[in-house]
Amino acid sequence: MAKVRAMARRETAPRGYFVVYVGECRKRFVVPTFYLKQPAFTQLLDKAAEEYGFHPDRGIVLPCDEATFFRLTNSI
């Protein structure tokens, strides 16, 4: 299984991955696209859309802290 990893802001996500920002400091993570088929992850994306709306210049900001994000991604 692919793993989530933190990446420097200047790097682009490799094919099959996308970028999300997590926590108050908006730490950047690259996650595999198959997460988009996982119900728990899509619920988090829906919550992000409700809280933050869609802002392509800002990226996908998830409404959780890093610990919650790691618990979620480790369970997938």
Side-chain angles (χ1 to χ4, degrees):
M1 248 195 200
K3 293 188 177 186
V4 172
R5 61 186 177 133
M7 289 183 72
R9 290 192 184 274
R10 292 185 197 127
E11 294 181 56
T12 33
R15 185 179 178 94
Y17 290 78
F18 65 102
V19 175
V20 295
Y21 297 91
V22 179
E24 286 185 30
C25 295
R26 291 187 62 207
K27 188 168 181 179
R28 184 178 192 263
F29 291 93
V30 176
V31 297
T33 54
F34 76 81
Y35 279 17
L36 297 172
K37 294 183 180 181
Q38 304 302 316
F41 197 82
T42 57
Q43 288 174 351
L44 186 58
L45 289 174
D46 290 341
K47 186 175 177 184
E50 288 174 17
E51 284 194 34
Y52 304 122
F54 178 70
H55 303 282
D57 58 319
R58 189 170 70 169
I60 300 170
V61 180
L62 300 179
C64 63
D65 58 29
E66 288 182 45
T68 302
F69 177 72
F70 285 129
R71 276 194 305 277
L72 172 71
T73 57
N74 285 334
S75 69
I76 294 177

